[in-house]
């Protein structure tokens, strides 16, 4: 054990008037001599507010995660934290870049990371076949600019959309910001490269009527580039303010603006646009409803159980089995034969449940046993039945450690799946128009499906990772902290609900937005604790950004198309 090894203590806070609220936070301290031998790999997340507490010599270990408490915010400490942060910024910390402060690195290191990313973005396309393929210098220049446009869109997807998947994990303290970005970077790139859509349609998302633009390749090329630039511009503006907006809505709005002005009213499938717009209402409502039920269920069947820690440990494998089975069958079917696909999905779910159960028993087994002995010898005469919607105080002390430890693992698993799935699905928002534009330059464009080169998939994945690294912390802060206070149980309820809604709505063909669903799910968890637990000002800003996304994307697309058509007249 190195001399820098930390140990942790558990901080507890109690709410007033309406009942008690308890939460746990891991706090790095010294000396090393008090460190239990099995605690390792824990890191301190400084944004957590920790009250004086006594050290518990337990065997709880949550590798690569820090459990941060936001329970103090229940009695107003959240506002104090915000005020403290503002005072610090005003007292001379403005010389540090926001990226450096977010990752707790030096400004020089932040600058180095940014320079490396920028250098790679400008030089890598020069070696790609999509550029080398074209003979004339003008066509190579066009291909190069097209790849940069796709990278810009992918960069902004990473800065805004990817942060949604990890925001709740960081907000609850299940992952530090560094761990979340590194984990998402690997999984997003893997999802984009391994499971990204290899085939796309020239008319992205079925919004534009293909026949209207037949024989107008130059105009269509300008429109595709304009859509990428317009969507990327609005995403960058939204990310700078920390607004989680839908990248799908951005690209749809851009396509609609281009289609109406340069193809006429009949160039747009208005029914498809209506379905997309309806997700403004459907997505957050469904996410909020499901997360409300999930969180209330956790409080009813885990928090109010005679042994909350044991109840959480027993529920975790069941939740993993259900989730992995549904995901394996619906999202990643391993066989086209229904019966075989069901059996394979059940097998995957069972394997996942066994692994999670063994991890929990290994890390928390001693603590579970000691707590079970205490409860067995305790007087149970005061046990009472509580309703599903009842306000439950929840466990404290070691029991709270176990509950948060279990759900911390669960939340990390759900965040990993969401990142991988997002990389495989939403990367098409950037590389779909990009691949279509490249096919026009190669003279193989048509209204039929277009094959996306593997290098373009990898390029899109790199763009997503770059955006997440450089700007993702902005939206992560909004999702994780500014809507409502999150703990591992609340974060898991929000993430599990959002993933479930997106999965089943997609299979049923319902219009859904992953971003809107997750925001609604976080709000639902807040509402489950009381209407005043959701920050109305933040919600108003987010909803306003949703409402203007499609119109702003359309206006920006028109502007860029007018600009690009004049520039392209020189090249094409």
């Amino acid at each position: 054990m190195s001399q820098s090894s930390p140990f942790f203590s558990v901080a507890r806070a109690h709410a007033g008037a309406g009942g008690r609220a308890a939460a746990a936070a891991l706090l790095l301290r010294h000396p090393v001599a008090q460190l239990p031998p099995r605690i390792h790999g824990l890191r301190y997340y400084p944004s957590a507010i920790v009250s004086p507490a006594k050290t518990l010599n337990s065997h709880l270990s949550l590798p690569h995660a820090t459990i941060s408490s936001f329970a103090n915010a229940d009695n107003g400490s959240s506002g104090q934290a915000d005020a403290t942060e503002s005072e610090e910024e005003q007292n001379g910390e403005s010389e540090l870049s926001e990226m450096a402060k977010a990752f707790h690195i030096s400004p020089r290191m932040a600058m180095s990371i940014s320079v490396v990313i920028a250098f790679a973005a400008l030089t890598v396309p020069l070696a790609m076949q999509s550029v080398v393929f074209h003979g004339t210098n003008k066509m190579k220049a066009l291909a190069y600019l097209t790849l940069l446009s796709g990278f810009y869109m992918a960069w902004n997807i990473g800065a805004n959309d990817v942060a949604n998947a990890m925001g709740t994990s960081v907000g609850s303290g299940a992952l530090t910001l560094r761990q979340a970005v590194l984990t998402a970077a690997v999984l997003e790139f893997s999802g984009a490269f391994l499971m990204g859509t290899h085939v796309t349609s020239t008319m992205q998302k079925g919004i534009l009527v293909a026949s209207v633009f037949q024989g107008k390749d130059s105009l269509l090329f300008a429109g595709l580039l304009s859509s990428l630039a317009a969507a990327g511009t609005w995403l960058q503006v939204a990310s700078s303010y920390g607004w989680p907006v839908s990248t799908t809505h951005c690209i749809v709005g851009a396509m609609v603006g281009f289609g109406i002005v340069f193809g006429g009213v009949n160039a747009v499938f208005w029914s498809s646009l209506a379905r997309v717009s309806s997700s403004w209402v459907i997505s957050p409502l469904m996410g909020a409803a499901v997360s409300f039920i999930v969180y209330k269920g956790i409080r009813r069947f885990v928090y109010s159980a005679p042994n909350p820690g044991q109840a959480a440990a027993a529920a975790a494998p069941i939740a993993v089995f259900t989730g992995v089975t549904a995901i394996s069958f619906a999202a990643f079917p391993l066989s086209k034969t229904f019966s075989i696909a069901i059996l394979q999905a059940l097998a995957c779910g069972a394997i996942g449940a066994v692994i999670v159960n063994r991890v929990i028993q290994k890390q928390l087994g001693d603590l579970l046993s000691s707590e079970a002995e205490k409860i067995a010898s305790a007087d149970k005469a005061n046990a009472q039945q509580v309703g599903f919607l009842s306000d439950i105080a929840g466990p404290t002390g070691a029991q709270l450690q176990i509950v948060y430890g279990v759900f911390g693992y669960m939340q990390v698993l759900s965040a990993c799946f969401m990142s991988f799935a997002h990389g495989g699905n939403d990367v098409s928002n950037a590389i779909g128009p990009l691949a279509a534009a490249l096919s026009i330059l190669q003279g193989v464009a048509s209204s039929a499906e277009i094959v996306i080169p593997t290098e373009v998939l990898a390029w899109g994945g790199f763009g997503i990772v770059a955006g997440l690294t450089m700007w993702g912390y902005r939206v992560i802060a909004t999702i994780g902290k500014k809507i409502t206070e999150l703990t591992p149980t609340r974060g898991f309820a929000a993430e599990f609900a959002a993933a479930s809604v997106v999965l089943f709505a997609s299979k049923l063909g319902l219009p859904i937005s992953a971003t809107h669903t997750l925001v609604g799910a976080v709000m639902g968890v807040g509402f489950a604790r009381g209407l005043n637990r959701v920050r109305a000002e933040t919600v108003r800003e987010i909803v306003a950004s949703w409402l203007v996304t499609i119109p702003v994307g359309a206006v920006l697309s028109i502007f860029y198309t007018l600009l690009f058509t004049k520039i392209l007249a020189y090249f094409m």
Side-chain angles (χ1 to χ4, degrees):
M1 184 70 66
S2 67
Q3 292 301 309
S4 62
S5 298
F7 75 95
F8 67 91
S9 64
V10 174
R12 300 194 318 201
H14 298 276
R20 296 184 305 167
L26 298 185
L27 173 64
L28 301 190
R29 300 188 179 202
H30 294 282
V32 181
Q34 300 182 40
L35 174 64
R38 291 181 59 188
I39 307 296
H40 62 86
L42 296 170
R43 299 189 180 182
Y44 172 54
Y45 189 58
S47 63
I49 306 166
V50 183
S51 61
K54 60 183 179 179
T55 302
L56 291 183
N57 291 322
S58 72
H59 295 285
L60 171 62
S61 175
L62 185 58
H64 312 299
T66 301
I67 301 179
S68 303
S69 172
F70 289 85
N72 287 347
D74 289 346
N75 55 17
S77 297
S78 177
Q80 296 174 6
D82 293 341
T84 301
E85 291 177 1
S86 299
E87 290 175 3
E88 290 177 349
E89 291 180 0
Q90 295 173 2
N91 290 336
E93 291 190 6
S94 57
E95 69 275 4
L96 294 175
S97 69
E98 292 187 29
M99 178 180 172
K101 288 189 292 184
F103 288 100
H104 307 294
I105 58 178
S106 66
R108 179 175 296 180
M109 176 63 71
M111 178 62 70
S112 299
I113 294 173
S114 301
V115 169
V116 169
I117 291 175
F119 179 78
L122 294 173
T123 57
V124 169
L126 297 175
M128 295 175 65
Q129 288 296 320
S130 299
V131 172
V132 177
F133 176 83
H134 300 90
T136 65
N137 290 332
K138 288 185 177 181
M139 298 303 288
K140 287 183 178 180
L142 278 181
Y144 178 77
L145 293 175
T146 301
L147 288 170
L148 288 184
S149 297
F151 176 85
Y152 178 62
M153 177 61 177
W155 188 93
N156 282 291
I157 290 175
N160 196 289
D161 231 25
V162 176
N164 296 331
M166 288 295 175
T168 54
S169 295
V170 174
S172 70
L175 289 172
T176 66
L177 183 61
R178 289 189 193 181
Q179 292 165 348
V181 169
L182 290 174
T183 301
V186 173
L187 294 173
E188 288 281 343
F189 184 85
S190 299
F193 185 72
L194 299 175
M195 301 197 63
T197 305
H198 289 267
V199 178
T200 187
S201 171
T202 303
M203 300 299 118
Q204 178 75 0
K205 300 294 181 185
I207 294 297
L208 299 185
V209 180
S211 59
V212 173
F213 296 96
Q214 286 184 353
K216 301 178 181 178
D217 287 351
S218 179
L219 177 61
L220 181 58
F221 180 80
L224 292 169
L225 288 188
S226 299
S227 297
L228 289 172
T233 300
W234 174 239
L235 279 174
Q236 186 170 0
V237 172
S239 298
S240 67
Y241 287 98
W243 298 333
V245 299
S246 172
T247 55
T248 300
H249 288 189
C250 288
I251 199 70
V252 165
M255 286 284 185
V256 168
F258 163 73
I260 293 176
V261 173
F262 297 95
V265 176
N266 294 328
V268 177
F269 285 113
W270 294 104
S271 59
S272 297
L273 179 61
R275 287 172 59 84
V276 171
S277 300
S278 66
S279 69
W280 286 333
V281 178
I282 295 174
S283 300
L285 287 181
M286 291 181 66
V290 176
S291 67
F292 182 93
I293 294 172
V294 171
Y295 184 61
K296 280 294 186 182
I298 292 173
R299 296 186 69 86
R300 169 61 181 84
F301 298 106
V302 175
Y303 280 16
S304 66
N307 187 339
Q310 185 61 50
I318 297 174
V320 170
F321 174 79
T322 304
V324 173
T325 300
I327 290 166
S328 300
F329 178 73
F332 310 114
L334 303 177
S335 175
K336 294 182 179 180
T337 304
F338 180 81
S339 58
I340 297 178
I342 284 288
L343 292 175
Q344 290 173 332
L346 291 172
C348 290
I351 293 172
V354 169
I355 292 175
V356 168
N357 184 63
R358 288 187 176 181
V359 170
I360 292 174
Q361 292 301 323
K362 179 179 180 181
Q363 300 293 344
L364 305 172
D366 294 343
L367 197 57
L368 283 167
S369 299
S370 63
E371 287 300 305
E373 293 175 0
K374 292 179 183 178
I375 293 175
S377 60
D379 182 13
K380 300 181 181 179
N382 295 326
Q384 59 181 355
Q385 296 294 325
V386 295
F388 187 79
L389 299 179
S390 300
D391 187 14
I392 302 168
T396 58
Q399 286 287 347
L400 188 63
Q401 279 186 275
I402 299 173
V403 172
Y404 278 7
V406 170
F407 282 99
Y409 283 116
M410 299 289 289
Q411 192 179 4
V412 171
L413 289 175
S414 62
C416 289
F417 166 72
M418 287 190 68
S419 289
F420 184 81
H422 180 274
N425 294 328
D426 279 22
V427 70
S428 63
N429 287 327
I431 63 175
L434 170 61
L438 290 174
S439 69
I440 293 175
L441 292 180
Q442 296 170 2
V444 296
S446 67
S447 60
E449 291 179 331
I450 298 169
V451 176
I452 301 178
T454 301
E455 66 175 8
V456 175
L457 284 171
W459 182 239
F462 171 63
I464 286 178
V465 171
L468 172 65
T469 302
M470 295 176 67
W471 263 32
Y473 59 87
R474 297 170 181 263
V475 175
I476 284 177
T478 298
I479 294 291
K481 298 180 183 179
K482 295 182 180 180
I483 297 177
T484 190
E485 293 79 25
L486 292 176
T487 61
T489 50
R490 300 169 198 164
F492 169 77
E495 230 164 41
F496 183 82
S500 301
V501 169
V502 171
L503 176 64
F504 288 102
S506 299
K507 295 301 290 184
L508 295 175
L510 298 176
I512 207 76
S513 166
T515 299
H516 296 187
T517 303
L518 183 59
V519 171
V522 174
M523 292 170 57
V525 169
F527 289 140
R529 300 166 52 232
L531 295 178
N532 62 339
R533 302 300 188 183
V534 176
R535 298 188 179 97
E537 182 180 354
T538 300
V539 173
R540 284 195 296 267
E541 289 182 0
I542 292 173
V543 173
S545 69
W546 291 352
L547 295 176
V548 301
T549 291
I550 288 182
V552 169
V555 171
L556 289 174
S557 179
I558 295 170
F559 167 76
Y560 280 120
T561 302
L562 293 173
L563 177 64
F564 288 164
T565 49
K566 294 181 179 180
I567 296 176
L568 292 175
Y570 171 76
F571 290 93
M572 299 181 71

